[in-house]
Amino acid sequence: DPPPAPPADPSAAPQPGAPQPAPAPQGSVPHAAGAPQCTSGPSIGALSSHDLLGLLGQVPALAAVVHGPEHRIAFVNDAYASVFGSRPPGAPAREALPELVELGLLPLMDQVLRSGKPRTVKSRRVPGSHEARDGTARDGYYTFTCTPTTAASDRGVLIFAADVTDQVEAAERLRASERRQREAAVTLQRSLLPQELEQPDDLRVAATYQPGGTEAAVGGDWYDVITLGAGRTALVIGDVMGRGVRAAAVMGQLRTAVRAYARLDLPPHEVLQLLDGLAAEIDANQIATCVYAVHDPNEGLLSYASAGHLPILVRDEEGTVHRATDHTGPPLGTGGWLHTTGTIALQPGSTAVLYTDGLVERRDSDIEEGVAALEDAFAGAAGAPDIICDRLLRSLGVTAEHDDDVALLVLQHPVRTGADAELFRGAALDLLGGTEAAPRARAFASGVLASWRFPTELHDLGVLAASELVANSLQHGTPPMRLRLRRTNRRLIVEVTDGDEHLPRRRRAEPADESGRGISIVATIASAWGSRRTPGGGKAVWCEFALPGR
């Protein structure tokens, strides 16, 4: 509050009829060049100029007053002088206040003088304005406010600088901590993703993961490609809700579990049922979406189940894009839901894309619009899977500053022509059972493998495997039965299906046993073997042999 006015002096009272002095303009400071020693005069608010400058001289913040178009120095307080040194009164700012020139404040002061409106610039760095603990100089940060003033017929600017060094350094420490946490989460996230994608024989695959921009915490997006044997491939993409190290850690556990469940060669919906229970055990508050799909080159189909995830898109050989929209259950971790398996065609010449919501979701539009935009971009994106990944990211406007994580998995079932077609061939024989089934199977396998010009050793192993698998099916299975032979550029696959759903197990046969050695023989001579239940009941038992030089 301003000090009380002194008692009125009757001798100084104006005489009736004498001219009255003009009132002091509000918001003014003196024009005197010799401040802070200045006489009483105009006031700012209820303070006289003498009181104002006395007050500015006591405040710890930096303060200076300049006047006129050249911003000549009228006053600098002790705090200002301690940082920048004493300044000669009456000198123009461009010469006597070089620190304001370096900070770029002179144009701002010109603007304040012209407009009569205050302006503020935040957190300007002032080199060497503070003392470090070791006694050396360190940089400080100040927020400068320039306020217009008036004095008599002249106008000026009050420069007020508040020290915000502690706040700036605290904010920088917080940002540095957040950067370290983000880098740790990104490192964890990337280390949990496949370091190198498995490359199936019948598919071409490519994938990419891009974390959100530098200001966004990393999420829990993941993808995977898992070869199941017998030419079949599992493809997975998922998204753990939330951000940071916790989301990445949950993602890693789910991805590991998916790979373990995939080895059981279960239908897609059963894999998601197992994963749903595990997700609830890991963290009941953590929700995740996931698509698990299996490609079977023999059928030309992509079987899939979805837990609250966005639909798979498939572009056929003619360029038409189809959505796999059916059989979508709630996200993982919600429990109490029976997932189902659906199918979509993936014939030679087709391309499919699996993706997370960061690719298509935007704050200013509905996610359905994003999926439609992806369909349009996908319809015109030609080339190999890695090229398609890049083109889709560009078309959807995903840059390094994108505010959400993006995982993208592209797969192609290429058309084989020319010499390449000779390396991918298949043959099948239906068996009705009976005593003639085994000899027919051996003869069929021998003829097919001879026509494929396999070496004698591989030919004989293939015939032996076919014979043992058919014999096992005849003894433990039920019709209908089918023997299927398939070759790729890297392996020979022998598979037998029948109508019984009981899966065989490898066991040690005793010397006196007359049976039980078939699966052991197959497991011994083959590179890999396995079994799975087939849709509609029944099972498939398979083995495969690596081709020489592969």
Side-chain angles (χ1 to χ4, degrees):
D1 294 333
D9 184 355
S11 63
Q15 297 301 318
Q20 301 296 318
Q26 295 296 314
S28 61
V29 297
H31 172 195
Q37 295 82 14
C38 50
T39 60
S40 300
S43 63
I44 294 181
L47 295 177
S48 69
S49 59
H50 182 275
D51 295 331
L52 173 65
L53 295 181
L55 182 61
L56 291 177
Q58 298 174 17
V59 296
L62 281 59
V65 178
V66 298
H67 66 89
E70 294 183 334
H71 306 301
R72 293 184 178 275
I73 300 174
F75 168 78
V76 294
N77 69 353
D78 293 340
Y80 192 101
S82 67
V83 173
F84 297 113
S86 58
R87 295 294 184 259
R94 185 170 296 278
E95 299 174 4
L97 299 173
E99 62 276 1
L100 300 185
V101 178
E102 294 173 2
L103 293 169
L105 291 181
L106 289 189
L108 186 70
M109 293 159 60
D110 291 337
Q111 183 181 1
V112 169
L113 202 61
R114 290 193 303 267
S115 66
K117 296 180 180 179
R119 294 288 186 271
T120 299
V121 292
K122 297 181 179 180
S123 306
R124 290 294 173 93
R125 184 169 64 90
V126 178
S129 59
H130 284 62
E131 183 177 343
R133 292 182 179 178
D134 59 1
T136 60
R138 65 184 179 94
D139 296 347
Y141 293 85
Y142 293 84
T143 291
F144 289 85
T145 299
C146 298
T147 305
T149 65
T150 59
S153 60
D154 202 356
R155 294 184 299 166
V157 178
L158 166 64
I159 301 106
F160 189 86
D163 188 348
V164 294
T165 304
D166 290 342
Q167 296 92 316
V168 170
E169 291 178 346
E172 180 55 37
R173 288 194 296 271
L174 178 60
R175 285 192 293 268
S177 175
E178 291 174 345
R179 283 196 299 269
R180 288 193 296 270
Q181 292 181 15
R182 185 178 186 279
E183 289 169 1
V186 170
T187 300
L188 175 62
Q189 172 85 344
R190 291 193 182 280
S191 67
L192 294 174
L193 291 174
Q195 302 305 299
E196 185 176 350
L197 283 181
E198 296 183 24
Q199 293 295 326
D201 294 356
D202 293 274
L203 296 176
R204 296 171 183 164
V205 295
T208 184
Y209 167 75
Q210 180 168 311
T214 55
E215 299 301 322
V218 69
D221 296 19
W222 93 91
Y223 57 81
D224 210 347
V225 177
I226 309 166
T227 53
L228 301 177
R232 300 164 68 251
T233 305
L235 305 125
V236 192
I237 198 158
D239 185 3
V240 177
M241 304 303 159
R243 295 185 175 278
V245 174
R246 178 59 182 167
V250 172
M251 176 276 288
Q253 295 177 76
L254 292 179
R255 176 178 173 256
T256 301
V258 169
R259 293 192 70 86
Y261 295 148
R263 298 305 177 193
L264 301 175
D265 215 342
L266 300 171
H269 68 277
E270 292 189 25
V271 171
L272 289 192
Q273 290 294 146
L274 293 172
L275 203 60
D276 179 59
L278 179 65
E281 293 177 8
I282 293 174
D283 189 339
N285 298 317
Q286 198 81 53
I287 303 299
T289 64
C290 180
V291 167
Y292 181 88
V294 176
H295 175 251
D296 189 338
N298 296 310
E299 305 293 340
L301 293 175
L302 193 65
S303 303
Y304 67 92
S306 174
H309 205 80
L310 294 165
I312 300 172
L313 301 182
V314 176
R315 186 184 64 203
D316 60 27
E317 193 172 10
E318 288 72 35
T320 304
V321 177
H322 308 272
R323 289 193 195 186
T325 54
D326 298 330
H327 309 280
T328 298
L332 301 175
T334 55
W337 183 274
L338 293 178
H339 293 83
T340 55
T341 295
T343 58
I344 188 170
L346 190 71
Q347 298 290 339
S350 298
T351 303
V353 58
L354 291 75
Y355 51 97
T356 56
D357 59 3
L359 182 65
V360 296
E361 189 173 29
R362 301 294 181 271
R363 300 179 187 275
D364 56 351
S365 62
D366 186 79
I367 194 169
E368 181 63 27
E369 297 177 16
V371 176
L374 176 60
E375 285 183 320
D376 293 340
F378 186 35
D386 56 337
I387 295 175
I388 293 177
C389 282
D390 293 339
R391 289 178 175 174
L392 292 181
L393 291 177
R394 288 198 304 270
S395 297
L396 274 295
V398 177
T399 64
E401 290 74 33
H402 191 59
D403 62 357
D404 197 4
D405 291 38
V406 175
L408 181 61
L409 177 62
V410 176
L411 58 134
Q412 286 181 340
H413 188 186
V415 176
R416 309 289 181 179
T417 58
D420 196 28
E422 292 295 318
L423 300 178
F424 292 82
R425 305 180 68 178
L429 174 68
D430 290 324
L431 299 169
L432 301 178
T435 57
E436 77 284 354
R440 283 189 63 205
R442 285 193 293 272
F444 174 78
S446 179
V448 169
L449 298 182
S451 70
W452 289 349
R453 300 176 183 177
F454 283 142
T456 301
E457 181 180 1
L458 183 58
H459 171 279
D460 294 344
L461 291 176
V463 172
L464 176 59
S467 177
E468 293 296 336
L469 292 181
V470 168
N472 182 79
S473 181
L474 289 171
Q475 183 173 2
H476 302 287
T478 59
M481 302 175 187
R482 169 175 280 197
L483 169 64
R484 177 180 287 152
L485 303 175
R486 179 173 173 79
R487 71 155 296 167
T488 70
N489 60 335
R490 293 189 289 186
R491 70 196 80 229
L492 165 66
I493 301 166
V494 181
E495 184 178 68
V496 174
T497 60
D498 63 51
D500 185 84
E501 65 179 10
H502 293 90
L503 302 180
R505 292 183 300 167
R506 184 181 181 182
R507 64 183 179 88
R508 183 185 298 275
E510 298 298 329
D513 291 345
E514 297 182 358
S515 62
R517 295 182 176 83
I519 295 298
S520 293
I521 292 173
V522 169
T524 301
I525 64 175
S527 304
W529 80 280
S531 62
R532 70 181 186 279
R533 292 186 174 89
T534 54
K539 66 176 179 295
V541 185
W542 57 269
C543 67
E544 58 185 38
F545 300 85
L547 299 187
R550 302 292 179 178

